């Protein structure tokens, strides 16, 4: 059996059972992938973009409703300036060139993060794709860009505090639902499955509130080496798990 045949068979098996609604991915390991090959780190980011594209296709093939990709964290600004600027232009170009395929797939792009902190030119490019795909009703691709879980909570608490101050909200009415609705992910269900590549056993400030009961799946595979079959395999393992939500 060829690799493509194995992948198609795995996809069919996974699709025969209920698939998760929302899968989130911490795309990690680009730098190490490049370093191991004696290449500059940015070469890993170039490869990583190809994997991200493949994941949009794979998520669509699976029939997911939401695919969240952690592309750039609030902490990533502390990287060397040339790596940051390469990442910015790479992300901008990748998003721009993805537009025709997003339209073809009826997929919608949204951004999670402090968008006002993204360089204006990059933001304009992203806004264009977000706007062009806003009516699409298929897969939702959520790109976490200039995203920090703690910043998201700070923004939510500030918004709620302002509502309390204005007399529009009583403190005793602040509930899980009210907090969830104040996040960047306001109308989006919590992730069912969180994948992290490159083997790090940490969350790195990602979706802190939303992952309270998310299933975790961590693989040593570096992001540029991650394939559609790896995603299907992760979902297959998820399908075999029992989510107890604190019950017996
Ligand atoms: C993930 O790969 C991409 C981003 C964080 C933008 P890294 O660049 O973190 O790669 P490693 O972890 O250094 O290998
Ligand atoms: C997490 O990866 C952020 C993204 C994938 C965008 P990092 O490489 O920045 O995380 P740490 O530094 O290893 O925790
Ligand atoms: Mg990393």
């Amino acid at each position: 059996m060829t690799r493509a045949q194995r992948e198609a068979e795995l996809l069919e098996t996974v699709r025969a059972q209920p698939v998760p609604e929302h899968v989130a991915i911490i795309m990690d390991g680009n730098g190490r992938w490049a370093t191991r090959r004696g290449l500059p780190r940015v070469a890993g980011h170039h490869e990583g973009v190809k994997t991200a594209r493949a994941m949009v296709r794979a998520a669509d093939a699976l029939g997911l409703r939401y695919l969240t990709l952690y592309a750039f964290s609030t902490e990533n600004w502390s990287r060397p300036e040339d790596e940051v600027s390469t990442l910015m232009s790479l992300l901008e170009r990748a998003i721009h060139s993805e537009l025709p395929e997003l339209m073809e797939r009826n997929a919608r792009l949204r951004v999670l993060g402090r968008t006002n902190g993204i360089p204006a030119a990059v933001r304009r490019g992203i806004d264009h794709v977000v706007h062009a795909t806003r009516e699409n009703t298929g897969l939702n691709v959520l790109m976490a860009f200039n995203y920090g879980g703690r910043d998201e909570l700070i923004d939510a608490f500030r918004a709620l505090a302002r509502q309390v101050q204005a007399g529009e909200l009583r403190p005793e009415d602040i509930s899980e639902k009210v907090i969830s609705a104040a996040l960047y992910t306001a109308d989006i269900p919590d992730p069912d499955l969180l994948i992290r590549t490159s083997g790090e056993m940490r969350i790195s400030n990602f979706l802190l509130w939303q992952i309270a009961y998310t299933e975790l799946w961590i693989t040593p595979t570096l992001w540029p080496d991650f394939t559609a079959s790896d995603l299907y395999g992760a979902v297959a393992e998820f399908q075999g798990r029992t989510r107890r939500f604190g019950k017996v």
Side-chain angles (χ1 to χ4, degrees):
M1 223 181 357
T2 67
R3 210 179 112 165
Q5 283 168 327
R6 272 200 304 276
E7 186 181 296
E9 200 165 280
L10 182 57
L11 175 62
E12 205 180 314
T13 312
V14 173
R15 283 193 55 132
Q17 286 190 59
V19 295
E21 194 174 22
H22 184 174
V23 174
I25 309 183
I26 302 175
M27 312 186 283
D28 197 17
N30 292 349
R32 275 163 283 174
W33 182 92
T35 305
R36 278 179 203 173
R37 283 166 176 72
L39 300 167
R41 289 178 55 83
V42 294
H45 297 318
H46 277 276
E47 278 308 302
V49 165
K50 293 185 196 162
T51 305
R53 280 214 180 92
M55 284 315 116
V56 171
R57 277 179 217 137
D60 197 27
L62 270 172
L64 303 185
R65 294 292 305 140
Y66 301 90
L67 172 71
T68 300
L69 299 172
Y70 200 5
F72 195 89
S73 77
T74 48
E75 288 72 27
N76 290 146
W77 294 109
S78 313
R79 294 188 176 201
E81 216 178 284
D82 60 334
E83 181 172 341
V84 170
S85 62
T86 305
L87 268 169
M88 287 297 142
S89 58
L90 202 60
L91 285 165
E92 185 196 354
R93 265 183 291 144
I95 290 164
H96 177 78
S97 63
E98 202 64 1
L99 181 56
E101 192 169 329
L102 288 171
M103 292 311 291
E104 202 177 300
R105 291 182 187 280
N106 188 26
R108 179 177 174 191
L109 179 79
R110 293 167 70 176
V111 179
L112 309 177
R114 279 194 183 157
T115 42
N116 54 9
I118 299 171
V122 179
R123 208 175 67 217
R124 269 195 299 276
I126 297 172
D127 285 349
H128 173 68
V129 177
V130 168
H131 187 79
T133 61
R134 73 195 184 287
E135 311 252 290
N136 290 352
T137 54
L139 172 70
N140 289 277
V141 180
L142 312 174
M143 214 195 29
F145 193 167
N146 193 22
Y147 176 88
R150 288 188 168 176
D151 274 1
E152 179 179 36
L153 290 169
I154 291 168
D155 290 347
F157 296 159
R158 282 182 182 159
L160 295 178
R162 275 192 292 271
Q163 287 178 37
V164 170
Q165 203 173 34
E168 297 158 6
L169 178 69
R170 295 183 308 169
E172 56 272 32
D173 289 336
I174 295 177
S175 59
E176 280 195 22
K177 224 174 136 184
V178 168
I179 293 177
S180 292
L183 300 174
Y184 306 144
T185 50
D187 53 342
I188 297 160
D190 291 341
D192 303 291
L193 174 64
L194 173 64
I195 294 173
R196 181 168 190 147
T197 57
S198 93
E200 305 296 353
M201 299 290 176
R202 55 177 172 259
I203 296 301
S204 301
N205 203 14
F206 196 38
L207 302 174
L208 298 179
W209 171 272
Q210 297 89 335
I211 60 167
Y213 264 105
T214 298
E215 293 292 323
L216 307 178
W217 193 85
I218 296 173
T219 173
T221 303
L222 303 174
W223 180 247
D225 293 328
F226 196 76
T227 64
S229 287
D230 292 328
L231 177 69
Y232 304 154
V235 171
E237 200 188 299
F238 167 88
Q239 289 170 328
R241 291 190 191 175
T242 310
R243 298 178 82 187
R244 277 191 290 276
F245 300 101
K247 300 170 199 155
V248 291

